[in-house]
Amino acid sequence: MQKYDPDVPQTIYAEAQNALVPDRDNNSTKTPSVVEVDKLEEDDIFWVEYEPNDPRDLINYSTRKKWAITFVACFATFLSSSTVSAYNFGFRSMIRDLGCTEFQTTLGLSVYPIGLAIVPMFIAALSEEFGRWPLFFWSSIGFELCYVMIAMAPNIQVVIAGRFLQGCFSSTGATMVSGTIADIWPVADRGLPMAFFSLISIFMLGVGPIMGGWIEMNPRLEWKWIEWIQMTWAGVFIFVVAFWLPETRSTIVLENIAKRLRKETGNRMYRARVDKPNARKLIWISCKRPIPSVYGWDSAEAFFYCLIESISTIFQTLHNFTIGQTGLVFITMMVGSTLGFLTNFYQEKLYKKYYPVRGTEARLIAPCFAAILLPIGMFIYAWCSFPSVHWIFLCLGITIYIWGAFVVYLSVFSYLADCYGPYASSALAGQSLARNILGTVFPLFTQQMYRNLTYKWANTLFGCIALLMLPIPFVLFYYGPKIRMMSKFSRKAMEGQK
């Protein structure tokens, strides 16, 4: 660091530790690595920024370190997804112990996505102003305590309240992980990390029921131990975040460096040159940032909650499965998400090939294929819902649907992250709001719908909805740039990438 001389302009270098500029390429020259202080314009201020090719800048971290951070962040997604689906496998013993109705226990499933829907609108914006790490850490502690609250609940009302709070705290794993990935990976390298994040999100929806089904079958464990066992996993995550997850938000790191320099030198004129929007403004625009057409895909993901709610009933009623065997049916979600993950490798090849021509819309080639899989999978699931049809065909329909839904899920995250760059968390929070509101509503009428329409026609209705959504990725693929230009935030991100 050079000593400041008030008579001449100075070049100021700041140490950079664990910091980056989102969506900046390693070879980019757009972000200046040195800052000149003109005494005539900004007298006595020391502006803090990065040295060129600083090895402590997260964008310059080794691939191994970046993957380590990605794995730790995705641990939050692991917990959030498994907690969603494991809960409803304890319904029988919960109804018996708490003296409640099936509808009341179903409310516990529905209120969880309310927290996932609302809270990201706040924490995503707060993370962009105050940093990722504090929200990861404190939300993980709250998430852990909610397991205790639910397991020790004296009545169903406490369980419902605990599930709502748990959904609020688990929203970190659903929203901020994508922002963390956008922080540390350049656009060109982001496809695989985003695919891994999406794989964990859906794969763990299958792991939760497998565990929950067999715990519920053990009369010495049942629903309380579904909570206790998951609580141990959440406790490990708190420890991992505390010691292994660094701050990844570039503006926060720069401010921390400037703060440390002020403390070490006693000179209060060190300032980080950062552009930080107001948190209240970020919360407001989170609701309207994402491209409206993307919201049409959210019903595909909301059907997850209907599948979670319906699989138990269909397989136990039509094929006399035990609760443990029903849990094994969720292996289909693991297989479908794995197929989607493998599909992403081909999508990445297509993305690199067509990006010079199609731009960000090159992310949407595989979703055009996935849009066809969604109605096919749901129609198979609908028209094989008979005792005379082997249960394996139901599993086939679920697998095809999850395969398509995974590709859609991943494309939404990757597409919005590319469109909104450093504000990816807020953009994804807006999209998460629509998705989880649908996830809240759908389970409340699923059982009544199956009773009134029968399994065949209820699932046919879902298949028709999926058929209506089929044109969405094609519209975005061909008209996406024009649609994105209507948003000033997406327009700014587009200009920054050129």
Side-chain angles (χ1 to χ4, degrees):
M1 177 82 63
Q2 298 180 2
K3 185 176 180 181
Y4 180 73
D5 185 341
D7 294 326
V8 296
Q10 296 292 314
T11 299
I12 306 300
Y13 292 96
E15 289 181 81
Q17 58 179 34
N18 304 332
L20 64 116
V21 176
D23 290 334
R24 193 182 73 213
D25 230 37
N26 287 337
N27 298 322
S28 174
T29 58
K30 292 174 189 172
T31 301
S33 56
V34 299
V35 181
E36 289 189 351
V37 181
D38 190 331
K39 67 183 182 65
L40 298 176
E41 296 181 0
E42 297 169 319
D43 193 28
D44 295 333
I45 296 179
F46 290 78
W47 290 114
V48 177
E49 234 186 2
Y50 305 107
E51 292 182 350
N53 300 315
D54 194 314
R56 292 163 294 184
D57 185 342
L58 266 70
I59 204 70
N60 295 321
Y61 267 19
S62 66
T63 301
R64 183 177 179 181
K65 273 192 172 182
K66 289 180 181 179
W67 273 112
I69 295 172
T70 302
F71 287 147
V72 172
C74 286
F75 197 160
T77 308
F78 167 96
L79 295 171
S80 178
S81 295
S82 62
T83 301
V84 169
S85 53
Y87 164 79
N88 68 312
F89 276 78
F91 277 11
R92 288 183 181 178
S93 56
M94 186 182 294
I95 291 172
R96 182 199 65 214
D97 292 348
L98 301 181
C100 56
T101 65
E102 183 180 359
F103 180 76
Q104 288 175 316
T105 56
T106 303
L107 282 176
L109 179 65
S110 289
V111 297
Y112 189 92
I114 293 180
L116 288 173
I118 298 173
V119 174
M121 309 303 295
F122 299 91
I123 67 166
L126 292 175
S127 74
E128 289 171 355
E129 182 162 356
F130 301 109
R132 317 283 191 203
W133 189 90
L135 293 171
F136 266 115
F137 181 72
W138 292 110
S139 65
S140 66
I141 292 177
F143 187 73
E144 173 87 350
L145 294 176
C146 286
Y147 283 118
V148 179
M149 179 179 178
I150 295 170
M152 300 184 69
N155 53 56
I156 190 61
Q157 288 77 16
V158 175
V159 171
I160 294 171
R163 285 285 292 180
F164 170 72
L165 292 174
Q166 197 166 46
C168 293
F169 290 119
S170 72
S171 60
T172 298
T175 304
M176 280 222 298
V177 175
S178 57
T180 300
I181 291 173
D183 286 342
I184 65 176
W185 293 95
V187 174
D189 300 330
R190 193 180 294 158
L192 186 57
M194 278 292 188
F196 179 75
F197 165 51
S198 299
L199 176 65
I200 296 297
S201 299
I202 300 180
F203 191 93
M204 293 311 300
L205 287 173
V207 173
I210 294 172
M211 175 203 71
W214 293 105
I215 293 175
E216 174 68 8
M217 283 192 67
N218 190 325
R220 291 176 295 181
L221 302 178
E222 298 183 325
W223 70 275
K224 288 181 179 289
W225 275 95
I226 294 177
E227 304 300 324
W228 292 128
I229 291 174
Q230 291 182 102
M231 188 187 75
T232 61
W233 303 348
V236 172
F237 179 65
I238 296 174
F239 180 81
V240 171
V241 169
F243 294 99
W244 282 292
L245 185 67
E247 177 59 63
T248 62
R249 182 68 177 156
S250 62
T251 56
I252 302 304
V253 175
L254 282 174
E255 288 187 339
N256 290 340
I257 294 170
K259 182 178 180 181
R260 177 167 54 81
L261 289 172
R262 290 195 297 269
K263 183 177 180 181
E264 291 176 352
T265 63
N267 187 340
R268 301 187 61 83
M269 300 311 294
Y270 284 100
R271 293 289 185 271
R273 191 188 292 277
V274 295
D275 180 16
K276 287 179 58 178
N278 181 271
R280 184 180 299 176
K281 182 180 179 182
L282 284 175
I283 292 170
W284 168 245
I285 61 181
S286 288
C287 299
K288 53 182 185 176
R289 256 186 201 157
I291 301 163
S293 300
V294 173
Y295 287 130
W297 284 345
D298 293 326
S299 54
E301 298 168 47
F303 290 165
F304 282 144
Y305 292 94
C306 289
L307 284 174
I308 292 170
E309 181 71 10
S310 69
I311 285 174
S312 297
T313 304
I314 289 177
F315 279 85
Q316 292 177 40
T317 302
L318 299 182
H319 300 287
N320 300 315
F321 275 33
T322 65
I323 189 70
Q325 291 171 330
T326 303
L328 293 176
V329 173
F330 283 78
I331 292 176
T332 56
M333 291 194 173
M334 300 163 68
V335 174
S337 59
T338 302
L339 289 172
F341 181 74
L342 295 175
T343 302
N344 180 69
F345 287 100
Y346 184 58
Q347 163 61 38
E348 283 301 297
K349 290 182 179 179
L350 295 174
Y351 173 76
K352 292 177 181 179
K353 180 179 179 180
Y354 291 104
Y355 180 78
V357 178
R358 306 299 311 187
T360 302
E361 278 61 38
R363 294 274 188 206
L364 302 176
I365 298 173
C368 292
F369 163 72
I372 300 172
L373 292 178
L374 292 173
I376 291 175
M378 191 55 72
F379 284 135
I380 292 174
Y381 187 58
W383 289 89
C384 292
S385 299
F386 300 98
S388 57
V389 179
H390 197 278
W391 55 265
I392 197 65
F393 292 102
L394 288 171
C395 293
L396 177 63
I398 297 171
T399 300
I400 293 174
Y401 184 84
I402 296 298
W403 181 10
F406 178 92
V407 176
V408 169
Y409 188 80
L410 171 58
S411 67
V412 168
F413 275 93
S414 298
Y415 187 58
L416 288 179
D418 287 359
C419 288
Y420 293 96
Y423 303 110
S425 284
S426 289
L428 290 164
Q431 183 264 345
S432 177
L433 175 66
R435 180 179 73 249
N436 286 296
I437 286 177
L438 293 174
T440 297
V441 174
F442 276 39
L444 296 177
F445 61 76
T446 299
Q447 294 300 330
Q448 296 90 326
M449 184 176 63
Y450 281 128
R451 281 195 293 267
N452 293 328
L453 298 180
T454 72
Y455 300 128
K456 177 182 66 176
W457 291 111
N459 288 323
T460 297
L461 176 61
F462 288 139
C464 291
I465 295 174
L467 195 61
L468 290 174
M469 296 189 301
L470 195 152
I472 293 176
F474 294 93
V475 172
L476 287 175
F477 183 75
Y478 289 105
Y479 301 104
K482 293 181 179 179
I483 297 174
R484 288 190 286 127
M485 286 300 290
M486 298 177 185
S487 166
K488 64 178 181 179
F489 298 100
S490 180
R491 187 166 60 248
K492 184 186 295 186
M494 290 172 68
E495 293 170 353
Q497 292 173 13
K498 291 180 179 179

